[in-house]
Amino acid sequence: MTDTTALESEFAARIEAASDLEALEALRIDILGKKGRITELMKTLGTLAPDLRKAQGAAYNLLKDAVETKLGQRRQALGDAALAARLAAETIDVTLPARPVPEGRIHPISQTIDELVSIFGEMGFAVAEGPDIESDDYNFTRLNIPPEHPARQSHDTFYLVGKDGAQYGNVLRTHTSPVQVRTMLGQKPPIRIIAPGRTYRSDSDATHSPNFHQIEGLVIDKTSNMSHLKGCLVEFVRAFFEIPDLRYRFRPSYFPFTEPSAEMDIACTRGNGELKLGVGDDWLEILGCGMVNPKVLAMCGIDPAEYQGFAFGMGIERVAMLKYGIPDLRTFYEADLRWLKHYGFLAVDVPTLSGGLAR
Ligand code: PHE
């Protein structure tokens, strides 16, 4: 009869020595597989006398059980060790400081546009866009500024000239108002859009740049009136300048595309070389606005007998300069890194009405 004790200790030692799960599996096949050591021993049972066969069979079964238990224990141990090693290798130190915020800055113009979009977005305005190169028709005529209209003179327009020297009726848009035309031609009322973007005028000094930015607003429906215009803009300036009781006034004005037209001023105090917004007896002009001229509605495919609405437009640099105390317009375009570091914003300063517009 074969002594299984020696075999058992031999197998136990080899199982213990298996250094990984792969080696352990090879060992299992070697001992218990189809051609394994124990399987081979089992096959010899048939040659034994019945008594002996019974005793020897029982001994082999015990050996087999013992080997299986040992294999199971070793498998568990090796699995645990592998997991522990993996956890150790992939560990993350959550107490380490976050990666430093990148050095780059958001330009004050971009930040201001984000603020404006966020304020008007809360009021339900959608953002509309138009091209920088506009037709004379959209930039002027359909806004009730026909050729020879004196208002054209005040726009210092860049007229585009073809390669052959001829003019094909295109201009660099002098204001964002052509987006009003595009929107009215392209969609049915009710309309509630803002259109921020680049604008161009052939004018350059401390307060004028040939390329600057405006934001336009347009609301068209059946009932919008001057009091809605007023409420909307008062709400806006107070949110934008973050002065809840900011004083303002509306002054009658003239724009060919609105009737009646007005300009909005906000109160300020000047003194000791300082400008304080919201209080005082001085006034700062901040935007132009009015009820959309019925002629403009008609030229843009909207029936003025059925619809009415209001529009407004303002210079983005101007409100940014006022809000952030930036004294010279030209510095916006100089790409001076020291200036940008001073007046720019961090990428994490995302303006929201609830979180604060700017920090
Ligand atoms: N487009 C005008 C400008 O550039 C501003 C404006 C827009 C005024 C809409 C009234 C209504 O000065």
Side-chain angles (χ1 to χ4, degrees):
M1 186 167 150
T2 311
D3 180 10
T4 53
T5 347
L7 277 176
E8 191 177 332
S9 37
E10 183 209 321
F11 291 154
R14 286 176 62 194
I15 289 169
E16 210 46 51
S19 57
D20 56 37
L21 289 168
E22 226 169 274
L24 193 67
E25 176 61 10
L27 198 51
R28 185 190 67 77
I29 290 166
D30 191 39
I31 301 173
L32 298 173
K34 264 196 213 143
K35 290 189 178 143
R37 297 271 297 276
I38 295 184
T39 321
E40 292 298 332
L41 285 174
M42 295 283 199
K43 283 182 193 160
T44 64
L45 287 175
T47 63
L48 299 179
D51 284 3
L52 204 54
R53 189 189 303 157
K54 203 174 171 202
Q56 189 71 74
Y60 287 162
N61 276 329
L62 282 177
L63 175 62
K64 199 176 158 195
D65 288 350
V67 166
E68 273 170 355
T69 312
K70 277 265 169 324
L71 280 170
Q73 286 165 349
R74 187 67 187 145
R75 194 174 296 123
Q76 178 80 40
L78 286 174
D80 288 354
L83 180 63
R86 197 171 149 204
L87 286 175
E90 293 177 4
T91 181
I92 298 170
D93 183 353
V94 292
T95 64
L96 277 178
R99 233 173 270 166
V101 174
E103 268 299 286
R105 292 290 192 279
I106 309 282
H107 195 281
I109 303 258
S110 305
Q111 183 79 9
T112 304
I113 291 176
D114 286 350
E115 291 176 25
L116 297 167
V117 167
S118 145
I119 295 171
F120 286 110
E122 290 260 328
M123 293 187 199
F125 284 79
V127 174
E129 286 183 316
D132 291 12
I133 296 176
E134 244 331 333
S135 65
D136 186 297
D137 184 36
Y138 284 12
N139 192 83
F140 292 123
T141 310
R142 285 187 205 238
L143 290 165
N144 195 32
I145 317 176
E148 315 310 329
H149 190 288
R152 290 206 178 205
Q153 261 84 68
S154 67
H155 275 227
D156 305 305
T157 312
F158 286 111
Y159 289 92
L160 298 184
V161 179
K163 277 198 184 126
D164 54 5
Q167 285 193 6
Y168 292 96
N170 286 331
V171 301
L172 288 179
R173 64 178 179 189
T174 57
H175 50 177
T176 42
S177 302
V179 184
Q180 285 191 36
V181 177
R182 288 177 175 274
T183 308
M184 288 189 271
L185 288 173
Q187 73 192 65
K188 296 226 163 319
I191 290 171
R192 202 191 282 151
I193 57 113
I194 47 165
R198 289 194 194 92
T199 44
Y200 304 82
R201 288 187 198 183
S202 176
D203 201 355
S204 184
D205 58 35
T207 53
H208 296 89
S209 155
N211 170 209
F212 59 108
H213 298 75
Q214 285 191 340
I215 186 165
E216 191 85 7
L218 175 71
V219 174
I220 305 282
D221 56 28
K222 294 189 173 171
T223 55
S224 280
N225 57 46
M226 202 78 183
S227 72
H228 299 141
L229 160 73
K230 183 180 165 193
C232 170
L233 293 176
V234 170
E235 196 66 29
F236 156 68
V237 288
R238 289 186 166 163
F240 179 75
F241 290 106
E242 297 174 83
I243 306 174
D245 56 354
L246 176 125
R247 287 179 55 231
Y248 62 87
R249 72 176 181 191
F250 284 87
R251 235 177 335 100
S253 185
Y254 172 76
F255 300 103
F257 32 91
T258 47
E259 181 58 37
S261 304
E263 273 168 321
M264 186 183 192
D265 297 338
I266 58 172
C268 68
T269 4
R270 288 173 239 251
N272 307 326
E274 219 196 327
L275 177 68
K276 208 163 176 287
L277 297 181
V279 288
D281 300 324
D282 266 351
W283 296 99
L284 261 175
E285 181 198 318
I286 181 127
L287 55 81
C289 58
M291 297 307 295
V292 179
N293 192 318
K295 279 194 195 160
V296 171
L297 291 174
M299 280 187 278
C300 296
I302 290 181
D303 181 3
E306 195 178 352
Y307 292 104
Q308 58 189 36
F310 61 86
F312 54 89
M314 84 191 96
I316 292 175
E317 281 82 350
R318 184 170 170 80
V319 292
M321 285 167 81
L322 291 172
K323 177 163 179 178
Y324 295 113
I326 301 172
D328 188 339
L329 176 74
R330 286 169 293 200
T331 55
F332 277 104
Y333 317 106
E334 283 170 354
D336 181 335
L337 281 178
R338 291 161 306 175
W339 183 88
L340 205 51
K341 220 168 175 165
H342 183 76
Y343 288 110
F345 294 82
L346 290 174
V348 290
D349 290 338
V350 180
T352 61
L353 273 186
S354 50
L357 289 172
R359 266 147 273 189

